Amino acid sequence: MEPGRGAGALPGMEEAAGAAQGKGRVNFPFPYTPYSIQEDFMAKLYDVLEAGKVGIFESPTGTGKSLSLICGALSWLRDFEEKKKQEEARLLADEHNGQDKQQQPTSCHAEASNCQGSAGELDWITEFMQKKEEQAMVDRLKEEQIRRKKREDRLEKIRHNVQLKYASKRKRLEDDETQRLLQLSAEILSTELGSDVLEQLDHEEEELILAEYESDEEKKVGLRLDEDDDDDLEEEHVTKIYYCSRTHSQLAQFVHEVQKSPFSEEIRLVSLGSRQNLCVNEEVRHLGAVQLINDRCMEMQKNKHGKKSEGEESEGKKRRVSRAVCPFYSYEQMQFLRDEVLVKVKDIEQLVALGKETKACPYYGSRYAIPAAQLVVLPYQMLLHESTRCASGIKLKDQVVIIDEAHNLIDTITCIYSAEVRGSQLCCAHSQLLQYMERYRKRLKAKNLMYIKQILYLLERFVSILGGNVNQNPNVQSISQAGTELKSINDFLFQSQIDNINLFKVQRYCEKSLISRKLFGFVERYGATSVVKTNKEKQKMAGLQNFLLTLHQGPDKEAAIQCPPVEAEDGQPKMASPLMQIEGFLSALTNANQDGRVILNRQGTVAQSSLKFLLLNPAVHFAKVLKECRAAIIAGGTMQPVSDFREQLLSCAIGADRVVEFSCGHVIPPDNILPIILCSGPSNQQLEFTYQKRDLPQMMDEMGRILGNLCNVVPGGVVCFFPSYEYEKQVYTHWERTGLLTRLATKKKIFQEPKRANQVEQVLAAYAKCIKRCGQVGGQVTGALLFSVVGGKMSEGINFSDDLGRCVIMVGMPYPNIKSPELQEKMAYLDKTMPRTAGQPPSKMLIENLCMKAVNQSIGRAIRHQKDFASILLVDHRYARPSVFNKLPQWIKERTEIKPAFGLAFAALRKFHQEKKSCYGSEAS
């Protein structure tokens, strides 16, 4: 370690300070010489973080956005920590030789007394309060220094002392052996003593009974550690950066970029994830469904702490055995895992491997690392969902938030806080819960029975408002008046006759009692095999108990209530308790009345009908993030049009002066991309793929002629995007009938985007293999043609670099379906709450923006690195309209050519690809 640099110091600390003073610019450590646009990006990012503003940053894919974010943000953090240490040192120095400070206020006090007369008499109070505050601050700084020194020493020992690791491993092996011997002893005793005749239920069924519900206060029993561990829980959070992205693969990629950066050796990074991704307990993992994993995990923590707080010595042996605890939830081992995580940068996979090796829970161990971490990497849901954020121990106060891949941020927040339940789920949950209550009525406490009856009543009213009856099978109950109806939250509660029930309390009860987990275990035990029997063995089966028998039967059984299948990891469907889904809907109903709507969708039968909560105002939830954090960065490869972010997310939380926009160009030479707006086809027909015209045979034929010509001059791969799966299928069928596909196949092998996600990789592999083979062997077939769908599996996250995407074609404009009730309600809400822009109503702007966001995401698939090249064809004259044209990304817009006739466009495309072939040789073939 360099002299003077602690374990928490970041690289370039001294150099940065000198550079900032000498040149007025910040020194940004970088793994290679950065592009000028990367330097601009980092400089602007640094300024936004320093000023505590909100930045909307656009950096096209292939321009090194991740590294720019890492090096720019961590350089700011480095300088911020250095300034903080200097300020601390100054204050502590003043405290040690404080005589000068004491004299100065005295002279000031005398001056003030002479100048202000009687007003000066009160100055001694001000002086006293200032001294008191300064002393308190000095005391806090001393404590913080001690804590920081202890943490740095601890991490430094782990970093350099291998013996500690071996000692820890040896202790784990000893603990395992002890545990094995204890279990063996217990089995021998159990065999000798025989079964406990006093217990009427076996230990597995005991677990299904709800524990006594004490109160509605927030205790967080299941997550709380022993009292001795409070100091570690209350560890002060250092200044940090929260980086979040959409998927775990994107987060893993970001962590790998950090590992390659100059900051990799010293930065304290922790990756957070869901239990589904981090759990190492196979018994829990095999449950598959994330809701089941969450509930089972929390139940095991409650069992662990319940044992210490409740006197269970007098209870039967089986009751004690049934209280399963997680062997990986060892505080000592999780502390070790926490320190290992902070010492060296690890991604999720490495974290899970470490958890298995150390026999410590990665989920909780990583959470204990949050306070000391400088960079926290986490998925969208964990940061944007308030209750998840709080439960995870994430504190945003005065911290930096970076949201990457944020082009769909508005939709993400809307989806996180929206919820939908089907009629079949409501009836299924009612049937299951009623059976559960009847089975264990004598064992349930009064408060449990009260809440169960409230939930049953809610389910009954929800089915009733859909036009059904919970006592009849939903699959055979027809709806007399089908259609869609929208209601405000208050109207829905009144008309459902549930306005007198405190939904906050019901929601809290569901969360704390883990009732959905108990219900799942109950159905898993009885649903598929036998009738639930009451204490009277011979009692006849009630009518509703028939429902329980049919829960797991196939769809051919007319009377079956189909419960929602949840895919387990092994691919086998696992039935989740529908109550889990309903809990989300109940939670959504606690939103403010003006921020959402309830959609009643009545279709055919009760089972097919649904209730959906639609969040109209995502800003109300995002505002909580913005008000807490010091600064926020919303970044993406394609952020245009930006107006949506400003108006729908930021306007109600912060002033316009606090928002900064930055958009950088691409690293490719200007002549490596040819975007063309095509207004008419080869037969001079105007290209307008509106809902009214796109189904016309002549319009589909014209598009076919365009493709036929392009395939003759474009080498490698051509990706053609259609507005929807339905339209792609319609055009494909038409071309098949007219013989066009056969003609196209002489030049390009044709592939179609599959609807099923698990088939995407297979199709892409075959597409890439075909292009590579054609490039190597030559011949009449020059590559492949891929039909894709805007908003589908291949319009986001898939890279069509190099020969995989030499031409990207956008057929028409992918406007959303304005007949959708959800979209209509959103449009009405925006028209009511937002001002007009350039004379246009907000609803029209919304439709146009949704369309162009989808277009920009799709056409950005082609250019992926500095030497890449591609042509882009926007096939519709409406793209030339100024309001639409201006919403293209800047780096594409400034190079776009508008071609009124096909001949001009074709000549430009042929010239472009011929020049590239001569420049790049076989690469472009």
Side-chain angles (χ1 to χ4, degrees), residues 254-269:
F254 179 83
V255 173
H256 295 155
E257 292 290 329
V258 174
Q259 289 170 333
K260 291 188 289 184
S261 79
F263 296 89
S264 62
E265 292 301 315
E266 301 293 344
I267 189 70
R268 298 192 300 273
L269 178 148

Side-chain angles (χ1 to χ4, degrees), residues 13 163 214 454 644 866 900:
M13 190 87 76
Q163 287 181 348
E214 295 174 355
Q454 282 192 349
D644 274 2
Q866 190 180 21

Side-chain angles (χ1 to χ4, degrees), residues 721 789-791 795 808 810 853-862:
F721 283 103
V789 176
V790 176
S795 62
V808 175
M810 179 63 61
K853 272 185 189 297
V855 169
N856 293 341
Q857 274 303 303
S858 299
I859 63 178
R861 300 296 95 204

Side-chain angles (χ1 to χ4, degrees), residues 422-433 473-475 519-520 523-524 527 547-555 559-567 573-579 581-582 607:
R422 297 190 305 277
S424 57
Q425 291 174 313
L426 294 167
C427 290
C428 186
H430 187 278
S431 172
Q432 291 178 3
L433 195 55
N473 194 287
N475 290 318
L519 196 58
F520 171 78
V523 174
E524 198 174 44
F547 282 147
L548 201 56
L549 277 175
T550 61
L551 289 178
H552 291 266
Q553 290 178 7
I561 296 179
Q562 294 301 311
C563 289
V566 176
E567 284 294 321
K574 186 169 283 288
M575 305 303 276
S577 166
L579 191 59
Q581 188 84 1
I582 293 159

Side-chain angles (χ1 to χ4, degrees), residues 101-314:
K101 281 189 75 178
Q102 287 172 5
Q103 290 172 3
Q104 192 177 352
T106 307
S107 60
C108 291
H109 171 61
E111 242 180 83
S113 299
N114 293 333
C115 297
Q116 297 175 16
S118 60
E121 294 173 7
L122 296 175
D123 280 0
W124 70 271
I125 300 174
T126 308
E127 181 187 339
F128 174 77
M129 292 304 293
Q130 284 176 345
K131 282 185 178 179
K132 192 175 179 182
E133 286 173 10
E134 285 175 7
Q135 187 58 47
M137 184 185 289
V138 168
D139 291 342
R140 278 199 308 273
L141 290 176
K142 285 179 179 176
E143 288 174 14
E144 193 176 319
Q145 274 193 338
I146 292 167
R147 277 198 302 268
R148 185 166 60 229
K149 183 76 168 62
K150 281 173 69 177
R151 181 177 64 238
E152 289 174 358
D153 288 347
R154 187 179 74 239
L155 296 180
E156 201 57 31
K157 274 183 185 176
I158 293 171
R159 188 178 279 118
H160 297 293
N161 193 343
V162 182
Q163 287 181 348
L164 279 176
K165 294 183 182 180
Y166 286 124
S168 178
K169 189 172 184 180
R170 191 168 60 249
K171 186 179 184 304
R172 287 196 305 275
L173 292 172
E174 289 170 0
D175 289 346
D176 286 350
E177 182 63 16
T178 305
Q179 188 64 34
R180 191 183 69 79
L181 290 171
L182 283 171
Q183 190 174 347
L184 191 63
S185 302
E187 286 172 3
I188 292 168
L189 280 170
S190 176
T191 307
E192 288 175 356
L193 294 172
S195 59
D196 189 345
V197 293
L198 298 176
E199 280 295 330
Q200 294 185 10
L201 302 179
D202 64 40
H203 70 271
E204 287 183 5
E205 191 165 6
E206 282 284 4
E207 283 195 325
L208 302 178
I209 300 173
L210 289 161
E212 183 174 0
Y213 186 66
E214 295 174 355
S215 70
D216 290 329
E217 294 172 6
E218 295 290 334
K219 290 185 186 175
K220 297 182 181 175
V221 177
L223 299 178
R224 195 169 54 190
L225 289 174
D226 302 331
E227 294 300 320
D228 296 341
D229 305 327
D230 282 350
D231 291 342
D232 293 284
L233 261 183
E234 295 303 318
E235 185 180 351
E236 191 171 340
H237 285 234
V238 302
T239 303
K240 65 178 90 284
I241 295 164
Y242 286 100
Y243 171 91
C244 68
S245 192
R246 197 163 48 93
T247 65
H248 282 286
S249 60
Q250 288 168 342
L251 293 172
Q253 190 177 345
F254 179 83
V255 173
H256 295 155
E257 292 290 329
V258 174
Q259 289 170 333
K260 291 188 289 184
S261 79
F263 296 89
S264 62
E265 292 301 315
E266 301 293 344
I267 189 70
R268 298 192 300 273
L269 178 148
V270 59
S271 295
L272 302 181
S274 65
R275 287 181 176 89
Q276 195 173 33
N277 290 99
L278 290 175
C279 181
V280 289
N281 186 333
E282 289 303 322
E283 180 195 331
V284 178
R285 279 180 66 86
H286 91 277
L287 293 171
V290 66
Q291 292 161 314
L292 298 177
I293 291 172
N294 287 344
D295 279 357
R296 182 60 177 152
C297 176
M298 289 169 68
E299 186 176 42
M300 291 174 111
Q301 306 329 310
K302 182 179 273 192
N303 290 347
K304 183 179 178 73
H305 301 297
K307 274 189 175 181
K308 294 181 180 180
S309 60
E310 300 168 13
E312 290 188 341
E313 295 301 319
S314 60

Side-chain angles (χ1 to χ4, degrees), residues 789-848:
V789 176
V790 176
K793 313 292 182 300
M794 295 180 180
S795 62
E796 283 190 42
I798 304 293
N799 296 344
F800 293 111
S801 61
D802 301 320
D803 275 355
L804 295 183
R806 288 305 181 199
C807 182
V808 175
I809 303 166
M810 179 63 61
V811 179
M813 298 186 70
Y815 282 108
N817 178 15
I818 57 170
K819 293 181 180 179
S820 156
E822 291 95 330
L823 188 55
Q824 286 184 341
E825 194 64 23
K826 179 79 174 179
M827 289 163 66
Y829 173 79
L830 291 178
D831 283 343
K832 187 178 178 181
T833 57
M834 298 284 178
R836 295 171 74 89
T837 307
Q840 287 192 328
S843 57
K844 187 176 180 184
M845 295 289 288
L846 170 72
I847 298 299
E848 208 164 74

